[in-house]
Amino acid sequence: MVRELGFMRATLAATGYPPSSVHTIVEIGSRETLTSSELVELLGLEKSSVSRMVRKLIEAGEIEEIPHEDDARSKKLRLTAQGKKTLRAIDAFATKQVDAAMSHLTGEQRQTVSEGIGNYAAALQAHRCGTELASTPLSIARGYRPGVIGRIVQMHADYYASHSGFGQPFESLIAANMAELMGRLHNPRNEVWVALDGQRIVGSIAIDGEGEGGEAILRCFILDDSARGKGAGKRLLAEALKFCDEHGFCATRLWTFRGLDAARKLYEDFGFKLVQEQEGHQWGARVTEQCFVRSGPAS
């Protein structure tokens, strides 16, 4: 990124100025005025280096000093008319550069890049300042949304490939099952929920309310690795079971595999009991399937 964005060159953004000067123009322009001390903090540079750079930008006609309204001994820095013109050119250059790169990515990849760069920048700043990085809580949304089928399949395929060695047969079966279930969401006894990190789906759970004997089947419960340890699984399961209780299902049943200890503990914390185990071969690898059942409120 350093190489592609031009930071290895002596000047940046077709300005004739080094990166630190371009950054200074951008920061002053976005805040209208800044003091030299504030620039030192923002840029993370030595005071003497900032002073020399500011003096050169003043001499070049890009910025000017104005009196500080609260401190007669201090001055503020702001862009001149020429500096504002330079800032517009920097913004146009950067927009063109980023747009050209983003044109090679899908919509989902662009979202991932945007969120990833933002998160990484925040983490670097937190490390430099010795502060804790505030985490944004995941949100839970109910109902179908574009891309949910493919995302559920992807999360299942990724997790079970690494955990259980499942491959194409498992992924194809999950894809068919999810497509079939989503086609029945018009029935109010069927529903799906997702955990969202921004607009990215990082978890899912669904209730198939058309099980035998008035039972509900809990399905497609999965979390992306990035969502683990944030309470999303507990929140998704709570939403699904609240739905089951509201609809008066006599029981809620789920099938899983032996060895998923964290998931099993969560199921048991919500009242599920192991009722059956059997060998399974249809997933592309031999596993021990487990069936858990939670009684309904009227049982």
Side-chain angles (χ1 to χ4, degrees):
M1 286 183 63
V2 167
R3 180 175 61 251
E4 296 300 331
L5 291 174
F7 286 98
M8 296 291 286
R9 295 192 287 270
T11 61
L12 186 66
T15 61
Y17 294 122
S20 57
S21 295
V22 172
H23 194 175
T24 296
I25 293 171
V26 170
E27 292 292 355
I28 294 176
S30 65
R31 292 168 172 80
E32 295 188 0
T33 62
L34 282 173
T35 65
S36 292
S37 297
E38 289 170 335
L39 266 179
V40 169
E41 180 67 23
L42 278 170
L43 302 181
L45 297 176
E46 293 291 333
K47 183 178 180 180
S48 58
S49 298
V50 171
S51 295
R52 288 193 298 271
M53 178 180 60
V54 165
R55 183 54 50 193
K56 289 181 180 179
L57 287 174
I58 291 175
E59 292 172 354
E62 302 287 358
I63 63 177
E64 62 183 354
E65 293 179 325
I66 59 175
H68 196 300
E69 62 273 16
D70 299 324
D71 185 354
R73 298 170 300 175
S74 180
K75 292 184 179 181
K76 286 186 173 183
L77 303 169
R78 71 179 179 188
L79 297 182
T80 62
Q82 176 183 319
K84 292 177 182 178
K85 182 179 179 181
T86 300
L87 178 60
R88 289 194 295 270
I90 292 170
D91 288 342
F93 181 93
T95 299
K96 182 179 178 181
Q97 186 180 42
V98 172
D99 284 349
M102 288 293 192
S103 68
H104 296 280
L105 303 178
T106 65
E108 183 176 353
Q109 287 173 326
R110 291 172 195 157
Q111 182 70 22
T112 300
V113 168
S114 176
E115 293 176 357
I117 290 177
N119 291 337
Y120 186 48
L124 286 172
Q125 183 181 33
H127 175 71
R128 176 170 59 85
C129 298
T131 59
E132 291 294 327
L133 185 63
S135 60
T136 302
L138 304 179
S139 59
I140 306 297
R142 178 174 171 174
Y144 171 81
R145 60 182 50 223
V148 68
I149 297 173
R151 187 69 181 114
I152 289 173
V153 173
Q154 180 185 16
M155 288 188 292
H156 276 80
D158 288 343
Y159 179 78
Y160 285 101
S162 61
H163 185 276
S164 304
F166 292 173
Q168 175 270 319
F170 174 76
E171 185 172 348
S172 295
L173 185 58
I174 291 295
N177 288 343
M178 290 304 98
E180 189 275 334
L181 174 59
M182 297 303 157
R184 294 190 280 113
L185 289 183
H186 60 276
N187 184 336
R189 291 171 70 82
N190 301 327
E191 192 55 279
V192 63
W193 296 261
V194 294
L196 297 172
D197 185 354
Q199 294 300 310
R200 182 169 180 260
I201 297 174
V202 293
S204 66
I205 197 168
I207 292 295
D208 182 346
E210 300 178 57
E212 296 182 2
E215 288 187 346
I217 309 300
L218 190 150
R219 302 175 63 181
C220 61
F221 186 27
I222 191 72
L223 292 177
D224 185 81
D225 284 345
S226 65
R228 300 186 189 281
K230 298 182 179 180
K234 183 179 294 185
R235 292 171 63 196
L236 285 169
L237 189 54
E239 288 288 337
L241 295 180
K242 177 184 176 183
F243 175 87
C244 291
D245 291 344
E246 290 173 347
H247 282 74
F249 294 109
C250 63
T252 304
R253 183 179 300 267
L254 68 88
W255 284 91
T256 185
F257 309 112
R258 181 191 290 174
L260 305 179
D261 297 333
R264 175 171 180 168
K265 183 180 185 308
L266 186 58
Y267 297 142
E268 291 175 340
D269 288 345
F270 276 85
F272 283 90
K273 298 183 184 303
L274 179 64
V275 298
Q276 184 182 348
E277 286 189 323
Q278 63 186 37
E279 293 298 310
H281 305 276
Q282 73 269 33
W283 310 104
R286 185 174 179 177
V287 295
T288 300
E289 300 173 342
Q290 295 179 319
C291 179
F292 288 81
V293 173
R294 172 185 179 267
S295 298
S299 301

